[in-house]
Amino acid sequence: MSALLALSQAALDGVAEGVCVYDADNRVVLFNRRYLELFDMSPDVIRTGITYRQVLEHSASRGNFPTDRFEQIWRARAELLSARKPFSTEQALPSGVVMTLNIQPLSDGGWLTVCDDITRRAKLESALRVQTERIEHAFAHMSHGLTMFDRDERMIICNSQYLEVYGFDAGVIKPGVSYREIVEHWVSRGNASGVSAEQLYDMQMSEIRGGNSQPTFLTRADGRVVQAISRLMPNGGWVTACEDVTERLRAEEALKRQNFLFDAALENMANGLCVYDEHFRLLVCNSNYLKIYGLAPHEAKPGTHLSDLIRTVMGHGVYPDDFPIDALFEELRQRLSQMKDLTVQRRMCDGRLLAVRYRPLSDGNCVATYEDITERERAHEELGEQYRRFDAALNNMTQGLVMLDSNLHVIVCNRRYIDMYRLSPDVVKPGVAMREIMEHSCAIGNHPTTTPQQLYDDYVEKLRRGGHILHRHLGDGRIIKLTHRPMEHGGGWVITYEDVTEHRKAEARVAHMAQHDPLTDLSNRVLFREKMSGGLAEIAARGGKMAVLCLDLDNFKTVNDRLGHAIGDQLLRWVAARIRECVGENDTVARLGGDEFAVLQRGPQPQSAEQLARRLVEVIGHPPPLESHVIHTGVSVGIAIAPDDGLDPDELMKCADLALYQAKAQGRGAYELFRPEMEAQARARHILENDLRCALEAGEFHLAFQPQIRLGTGELTGFEALLRWNSAARGLVSPADFIPIAEETGLIVPLGEWVLRTACATAAGWPDNIKIAVNLSPVQFRARGLVAMVTSALAAAGLDPKRLELEVTETALLQDDEATVAILHQLRKLGVRVSLDDFGVGYSSLGYLRKFPFDTIKIDRSFVGSLGESHESGAIVRTIASLGANLGVETTAEGVETAEQLELVRQAGCTAVQGFYFSKPCSAGDVGHIIEQMNPVHRVA
């Protein structure tokens, strides 16, 4: 005790703690000024010799603790002191100050009290507890699953979302369980089909231990997809974050692809990249930077100053000697000090243009990218850096996040939420009420259709019902998905915000594209059938009638082939617009494909359908010029009526198609209502088609030959080969009946080859001055190998090509005139003669005479047959004959049947004729006799 009393009072008063020493009788021996200050006690009362009980009484009178608790506190302290053991206690004063009292017994029976003000530390500990509780709340209610494992692969902690995402049994998966047991448990529940638990464990641990931070995807037994990202910790354990991405995968497909491309770009990027510290010393660079500047690795070592790098580059001759280094650094320092980017373009000595961008970092460093923009490519920006701290993770979430307390005040929110709603950070911060946020959000126009009070009342009502999801449609058109989850222990709410605008738009676009034609935006076949099925069901239930109109454009292929698909597409869009204008607002218009359209029409039928069909034929038959091109087209319409023609969609469409076929057979530009006999006609046509297929193999075809005469001399010049069919079942079948079917089915190609080979073989036995003429179908020009087939037929027959004349109609030229003319030139190179058949009936005949030098023009029999009766026909024949004479082309008049007609074509100036007046088509066996009679040259020989 004597040693303690010997302490310097001045030194004792200088310490930060309060000190008071008592003797064995519990009387004050020594104390310092700090002791009195801490407890606000009077030096007039507290003095040497006063008892500890008197000190406590004075402290109570100063309000340091309630006076009614004096006896309780005195007894408790006396009991502790009598035990003669050190002890500590805390005392919170009414002023808010928190004190610690450390009691230390002394060897002489007395004791020492040391007091310290720990108010600030207590506040920090309290704040830390609050922050810890908030983090725990966020951990438990975040949208992602999170778990942590130690170095022995045993679970330390996980949140409920982790169990929910993987579908784990909470009774099995809990802290202490090993990762191997977790994998075995998951696989035992039917997950990871096709992979054993051991295989899955090995794969996962390889990814984790290998330090792979890329997301991994696992598929649950119910088809849901889980994405997990694992990070190794320094202690050998790891943290895994996971989420159920099933609903987002489709919407994020484009973003994933972009990410994959971006990752590949980082590995193989064409851009150079450097990071400099605040003093412009190099921290790191990539190989492409070295490659761009031709630098060796030792020339760009970490720590090299940017100015030294530039001088090295100049020494390599990459930049000119007058490179403005000083000016660059001055501008660079100024921009970076303002936290602004600096982008400069430099022309390199080899002619390349380089774009260099310096970007400041928050830590004082800067990033420089070097892009060769000579052949400019768009650069990919590097994705945001990873953050370890929890608050950094929140601010880099793709979703917005807000945590509310039970009074709907903000506990924490991330930057994404503020940016998503374009809110002010000065308004949205911890402590602000959600009511104030909503008022601010309405004020800036996010919710133009409601008031802040209505918005808040509706929000509170929904929260009362528990966790829920709602969608906000903002004033700028964006759609935000809000997911509310209640916090445990009577807390508040965790709300996540996701911008689903593009996802919704993509869904709407996909839904629209699935049911609409991309060219005309009309309903497509799928939607048309759906509408028709619905309409037919309504008719079956409630009565009424509905018409199905099938439309097909006339001459559309000609427009497409001659003027190009761009003009064809314009025509289709024009037709679609005209159909829309003609139909009623409740009618359905569809493009079924190509130039096929269809209409569903309710109302009194068939009157409404016929009126619409007449209107469509009239309107579409007069298209406007498209890009200065005159368009010749029309439309044919087939109509079926429900329920008269059926209530089955397929049956009704078949009826409309049959009516359409009949309308086109009537000459196009017309409409037809379905009649039952059309089905019988279609069946008969189908049977005729089958018979036609068998006829060629059965050898039922033969050729007839009609002579051609030169008018000036009366000399026989050749024969035209005409195809005839003598069916075993049908007898003689008119070419007018079977040739169109053969062309529609493509049978005309093998049939035409047979005609050509047979005609050439037959003509090979005739005198050398007699030629053979063979008609070519337009279909044969579309089929490949026409020139090769003609060459083969001539070679097989041994016929001089000059004796073969191929007759081409304008129809063949119309379908693809450039390709057809090219083929005709190839045939001409063989030595074959080419004639233009049925001249005058088309509207482009004169144009084809300019494109190809035909040997003969054959005047259509329709003009010859009306000579002497029609002044116009005579004028046309004379004009064609005169045209042929001027061009040096022979003109043959077809269908001459009388002497009067013969004289008229002679007077008109035609050079050759053929027709019944000279001879009907004869068999191959009678050709020799006709040659004897009609060829004086041959008779003289």
Side-chain angles (χ1 to χ4, degrees):
M1 177 68 71
S2 59
L4 291 173
L5 292 174
L7 291 173
S8 170
Q9 183 68 41
L12 193 64
D13 287 340
V15 299
E17 294 85 1
V19 178
C20 186
V21 182
Y22 293 86
D23 60 15
D25 296 325
N26 291 334
R27 293 182 177 277
V28 174
V29 177
L30 186 67
F31 61 91
N32 66 357
R33 184 168 50 251
R34 182 61 175 160
Y35 178 72
L36 299 179
E37 291 173 352
L38 288 175
F39 290 99
D40 189 28
M41 293 188 295
S42 171
D44 297 332
V45 176
I46 306 303
R47 60 190 182 274
T48 303
I50 189 172
T51 67
Y52 179 53
R53 180 181 178 92
Q54 291 173 319
V55 171
L56 284 179
E57 288 175 342
H58 178 59
S59 181
S61 69
R62 303 293 283 185
N64 290 331
F65 57 86
T67 57
D68 58 356
R69 293 187 59 218
F70 172 77
E71 288 298 332
Q72 177 184 355
I73 293 173
W74 162 247
R75 286 194 298 272
R77 295 282 177 88
E79 183 178 348
L80 291 171
L81 290 170
S82 64
R84 300 296 297 168
K85 293 182 179 180
F87 68 90
S88 298
T89 183
E90 287 188 9
Q91 181 176 350
L93 303 184
S95 63
V97 175
V98 180
M99 304 287 296
T100 60
L101 288 77
N102 294 305
I103 311 298
Q104 181 68 42
L106 300 177
S107 60
D108 60 358
W111 49 281
L112 171 68
T113 299
V114 178
C115 309
D116 192 12
D117 183 346
I118 62 168
T119 308
R120 185 172 181 275
R121 188 183 73 187
K123 289 182 179 179
L124 289 176
E125 289 176 349
S126 175
L128 180 60
R129 285 194 298 272
V130 172
Q131 182 66 14
T132 301
E133 290 174 0
R134 289 177 178 176
I135 291 175
E136 288 175 350
H137 277 304
F139 179 77
H141 295 92
M142 65 192 303
S143 61
H144 292 66
L146 195 69
T147 185
M148 183 182 295
F149 293 87
D150 61 18
R151 65 185 301 167
D152 297 323
E153 301 180 11
R154 293 196 173 273
M155 179 186 286
I156 299 172
I157 190 174
C158 74
N159 61 4
S160 60
Q161 287 82 354
Y162 174 74
L163 301 177
E164 180 182 345
V165 165
Y166 282 102
F168 285 139
D169 185 344
V172 177
I173 307 305
K174 51 191 175 184
V177 67
S178 71
Y179 186 66
R180 185 185 295 275
E181 291 172 321
I182 292 175
V183 172
E184 291 173 350
H185 172 67
W186 198 64
V187 173
S188 70
R189 296 169 75 93
N191 300 303
S193 176
V195 180
S196 68
E198 187 64 26
Q199 290 172 324
L200 182 58
Y201 169 79
D202 290 341
M203 288 190 293
Q204 292 295 99
M205 289 309 302
S206 175
E207 294 285 338
I208 293 169
R209 293 299 185 197
N212 185 5
S213 61
Q214 296 301 316
T216 59
F217 297 87
L218 295 173
T219 303
R220 293 178 19 170
D222 58 4
R224 302 196 71 79
V225 180
V226 178
Q227 173 187 290
I229 301 178
S230 299
R231 300 282 186 187
L232 281 173
M233 295 188 297
N235 63 1
W238 73 90
V239 175
T240 299
C242 61
E243 64 174 322
D244 185 334
V245 296
T246 310
E247 305 301 332
R248 290 192 353 235
L249 280 179
R250 183 174 297 174
E252 294 177 350
E253 189 62 32
L255 181 58
K256 287 181 181 179
R257 177 169 178 78
Q258 183 181 358
N259 289 340
F260 290 145
L261 293 176
F262 183 70
D263 291 340
L266 287 178
E267 295 297 326
N268 302 280
M269 62 185 298
N271 296 345
L273 180 125
C274 291
V275 180
Y276 300 96
D277 65 13
E278 65 273 21
H279 302 297
F280 300 109
R281 289 190 296 265
L282 182 66
L283 296 176
V284 67
C285 68
N286 66 358
S287 59
N288 284 323
Y289 167 75
L290 303 177
K291 188 183 299 183
I292 287 173
Y293 285 112
L295 293 170
H298 71 273
E299 293 177 315
K301 295 185 296 185
T304 305
H305 197 273
L306 175 58
S307 61
D308 294 331
L309 288 171
I310 296 175
R311 291 187 179 94
T312 302
V313 168
M314 292 170 61
H316 289 335
V318 176
Y319 281 144
D321 294 338
D322 59 351
F323 185 91
I325 297 180
D326 295 337
L328 170 64
F329 270 94
E330 179 62 30
E331 185 177 8
L332 185 57
R333 289 190 185 94
Q334 181 178 356
R335 298 286 291 186
L336 295 185
S337 66
Q338 299 171 357
M339 294 302 291
K340 294 181 180 180
D341 293 2
L342 173 63
T343 301
V344 294
Q345 293 185 4
R346 299 295 181 195
R347 181 66 65 180
M348 304 172 79
C349 291
D350 61 2
R352 289 179 294 154
L353 183 63
L354 200 68
V356 183
R357 181 185 184 187
Y358 299 94
R359 187 174 188 177
L361 299 178
S362 58
D363 59 0
N365 296 339
C366 74
V367 174
T369 55
Y370 303 82
E371 181 185 4
D372 184 346
I373 59 173
T374 310
E375 299 294 335
R376 190 174 188 94
E377 296 180 358
R378 299 184 61 186
H380 295 277
E381 293 185 4
E382 186 177 358
L383 296 178
E385 60 186 12
Q386 298 291 332
Y387 294 92
R388 296 181 180 180
R389 296 175 61 185
F390 178 72
D391 57 346
L394 287 179
N395 285 323
N396 286 276
M397 290 173 60
T398 57
Q399 297 175 324
L401 184 140
V402 173
M403 185 183 296
L404 300 177
D405 62 19
S406 57
N407 297 318
L408 301 187
H409 286 72
V410 172
I411 298 173
V412 66
C413 70
N414 66 359
R415 184 72 192 185
R416 177 63 178 147
Y417 165 71
I418 294 174
D419 293 342
M420 192 176 291
Y421 279 85
R422 299 187 173 93
L423 305 173
S424 170
D426 297 333
V427 175
V428 183
K429 51 190 175 182
V432 68
M434 180 53 73
R435 181 192 294 274
E436 296 178 49
I437 294 177
M438 289 183 173
E439 290 173 352
H440 172 49
S441 187
C442 287
I444 63 177
N446 282 333
H447 313 283
T449 60
T450 187
T451 66
Q453 187 63 45
Q454 291 171 335
L455 188 66
Y456 183 77
D457 291 344
D458 179 69
Y459 190 69
V460 171
E461 179 61 29
K462 286 184 170 63
L463 288 180
R464 288 198 185 108
R465 303 173 190 169
H468 65 282
I469 296 175
L470 62 86
H471 291 80
R472 293 285 191 214
H473 293 259
L474 303 187
D476 61 4
R478 289 179 298 130
I479 303 172
I480 308 300
K481 176 184 176 183
L482 285 70
T483 303
H484 297 75
R485 295 186 180 90
M487 291 193 293
E488 296 178 0
H489 311 302
W493 298 87
V494 174
I495 308 103
T496 57
Y497 301 79
E498 182 179 1
D499 189 335
V500 296
T501 311
E502 294 304 319
H503 178 64
R504 288 291 186 91
K505 287 181 179 179
E507 287 181 340
R509 285 195 298 270
V510 169
H512 183 83
M513 290 171 60
Q515 294 186 323
H516 290 79
D517 171 51
L519 178 65
T520 63
D521 203 38
L522 296 176
S523 302
N524 62 10
R525 189 181 295 272
V526 174
L527 182 57
F528 183 77
R529 184 179 178 84
E530 180 182 320
K531 294 278 190 181
M532 182 164 58
S533 298
L536 293 175
E538 184 178 349
I539 289 173
R542 302 180 183 178
K545 290 192 175 186
M546 180 175 70
V548 178
L549 293 84
C550 286
L551 294 75
D552 189 88
L553 295 186
D554 302 330
N555 298 325
F556 177 71
K557 188 177 187 311
T558 300
V559 174
N560 236 5
D561 292 343
R562 294 191 60 210
L563 303 180
H565 290 282
I567 298 297
D569 289 347
Q570 288 186 43
L571 177 59
L572 290 174
R573 286 191 289 266
W574 179 84
V575 169
R578 302 294 78 74
I579 298 175
R580 279 198 187 101
E581 292 172 356
C582 293
V583 302
E585 60 179 354
N586 295 322
D587 297 341
T588 299
V589 183
R591 182 185 176 211
L592 304 183
D595 59 342
E596 300 176 42
F597 296 85
V599 177
L600 287 177
Q601 183 193 53
R602 300 297 294 268
Q605 301 297 352
Q607 300 91 335
S608 298
E610 289 190 89
Q611 182 179 358
L612 175 59
R614 283 193 294 270
R615 177 64 177 154
L616 291 173
V617 169
E618 170 63 24
V619 172
I620 298 175
H622 297 84
L626 299 177
E627 296 186 10
S628 302
H629 296 289
V630 177
I631 306 300
H632 296 273
T633 190
V635 68
S636 299
V637 185
I639 305 171
I641 307 295
D644 301 353
D645 300 325
L647 286 171
D648 178 74
D650 292 332
E651 182 65 25
L652 206 59
M653 284 299 295
K654 185 184 78 171
C655 293
D657 282 337
L658 290 172
L660 174 61
Y661 178 81
Q662 188 65 30
K664 295 180 79 69
Q666 295 297 326
R668 304 172 185 261
Y671 73 88
E672 283 286 343
L673 286 164
F674 172 75
R675 299 185 303 277
E677 57 267 26
M678 290 180 181
E679 196 163 5
Q681 294 170 357
R683 283 195 298 271
R685 179 179 175 278
H686 181 67
I687 294 171
L688 179 60
E689 179 182 332
N690 287 335
D691 291 348
L692 189 59
R693 292 181 182 278
C694 299
L696 187 59
E697 295 181 6
E700 294 181 354
F701 292 102
H702 66 274
L703 296 181
F705 300 90
Q706 186 169 42
Q708 298 174 327
I709 312 298
R710 180 171 287 111
L711 271 178
T713 62
E715 174 190 359
L716 175 67
T717 60
F719 291 86
E720 180 179 358
L722 304 173
L723 181 62
R724 297 292 183 260
W725 179 17
N726 189 5
S727 171
R730 301 171 178 271
L732 288 173
V733 182
S734 170
D737 294 332
F738 72 81
I739 292 295
I741 295 177
E743 290 186 323
E744 290 177 16
T745 60
L747 287 173
I748 197 66
V749 175
L751 192 55
E753 182 175 358
W754 178 87
V755 170
L756 182 63
R757 291 184 179 277
T758 303
C760 289
T762 302
W766 299 344
D768 292 343
N769 64 322
I770 303 298
K771 67 180 188 298
I772 180 70
V774 178
N775 288 281
L776 291 180
S777 166
V779 180
Q780 290 175 275
F781 282 92
R782 296 199 299 270
R784 295 181 179 179
L786 176 60
V787 176
M789 186 265 287
V790 172
T791 304
S792 176
L794 289 170
L799 185 68
D800 187 343
K802 295 179 180 178
R803 294 180 59 198
L804 175 62
E805 182 169 282
L806 298 176
E807 298 188 1
V808 183
T809 63
E810 184 181 342
T811 305
L813 294 164
L814 279 171
Q815 293 189 356
D816 190 350
D817 60 340
E818 292 184 4
T820 301
V821 169
I823 292 173
L824 292 178
H825 278 294
Q826 294 178 50
L827 293 172
R828 170 62 64 78
K829 289 181 180 179
L830 296 177
V832 173
R833 294 171 57 84
V834 182
S835 65
L836 180 58
D837 199 10
D838 299 334
F839 186 81
V841 295
Y843 60 84
S844 299
S845 299
L846 292 175
Y848 296 121
L849 290 178
R850 180 176 54 84
K851 290 185 177 182
F852 184 80
F854 290 94
D855 297 289
T856 304
I857 299 173
K858 301 192 73 173
I859 302 172
D860 188 68
R861 63 181 65 249
S862 62
F863 300 118
V864 176
S866 59
L867 286 175
E869 302 173 2
S870 168
H871 175 73
E872 290 79 4
S873 294
I876 289 173
V877 172
R878 287 192 298 272
T879 300
I880 295 174
S882 175
L883 178 63
N886 290 329
L887 294 176
V889 178
E890 293 186 5
T891 50
T892 300
E894 296 183 291
V896 175
E897 298 182 0
T898 66
E900 180 184 4
Q901 290 174 352
L902 177 61
E903 184 58 30
L904 288 173
V905 298
R906 189 194 306 276
Q907 293 175 4
C910 295
T911 59
V913 292
Q914 69 179 77
F916 285 5
Y917 178 76
F918 301 97
S919 172
K920 291 183 178 181
C922 63
S923 66
D926 293 334
V927 168
H929 179 65
I930 292 179
I931 292 175
E932 289 288 341
Q933 287 184 331
M934 302 183 67
N935 195 339
V937 175
H938 179 72
R939 287 200 302 268
V940 171

